[in-house]
Amino acid sequence: MGSKYTKRYTEEFKRDAIALVDSSGKTVTAVARELGISSESLRGWYRRAKADRGEDAPGELTSAERDELRRLRKENREQQQTIEILKKATAFFVKESDR
């Protein structure tokens, strides 16, 4: 379980850390240890950067695709809620018109 006081890193810090992994020839774990950050955090940033550059395994989503997917899922959820409301309203008015 993560701490409720999770550190937030700037995009610039993330880019620099990723560049350090690429240029130093060191492992992600070694660079993370030097920077004093979680190796899993750096590994995730590195994996996303590789996907954004098209260097990762096929099927890996880029950041833009991940953002679009998140937006579309939210939109879908809102539309499903609207449909449910309209169904209930229709049932109510059908019931009222039968009186």
Side-chain angles (χ1 to χ4, degrees):
M1 220 47 179
S3 168
K4 72 177 188 177
Y5 300 107
T6 303
K7 276 190 174 179
R8 299 285 181 190
Y9 298 100
T10 64
E11 289 302 316
E12 181 182 12
F13 178 82
K14 292 176 184 180
R15 276 193 308 273
D16 290 346
I18 292 164
L20 190 56
V21 172
D22 284 335
S23 65
S24 70
K26 296 179 182 177
T27 65
V28 171
T29 304
V31 172
R33 192 176 304 122
E34 287 176 10
L35 296 175
I37 61 175
S38 162
S39 61
E40 288 306 309
S41 293
L42 182 54
R43 189 169 284 109
W45 303 339
Y46 188 71
R47 193 175 300 130
R48 263 183 255 122
K50 282 180 66 175
D52 290 347
R53 293 187 304 235
E55 298 173 5
D56 213 10
E60 185 73 25
L61 297 177
T62 65
S63 294
E65 291 169 332
R66 192 172 281 111
D67 290 342
E68 181 182 17
L69 181 59
R70 190 175 301 115
R71 181 186 61 77
L72 290 171
R73 284 181 174 164
K74 180 181 178 190
E75 187 178 309
N76 188 13
R77 196 170 39 253
E78 290 169 352
Q79 289 176 349
Q80 290 298 326
Q81 290 171 344
T82 301
I83 289 169
E84 287 303 312
I85 290 169
L86 291 173
K87 282 180 182 179
K88 290 177 183 178
T90 301
F92 173 79
F93 287 117
V94 166
K95 190 176 178 182
E96 287 297 309
S97 68
D98 287 344
R99 289 186 176 185

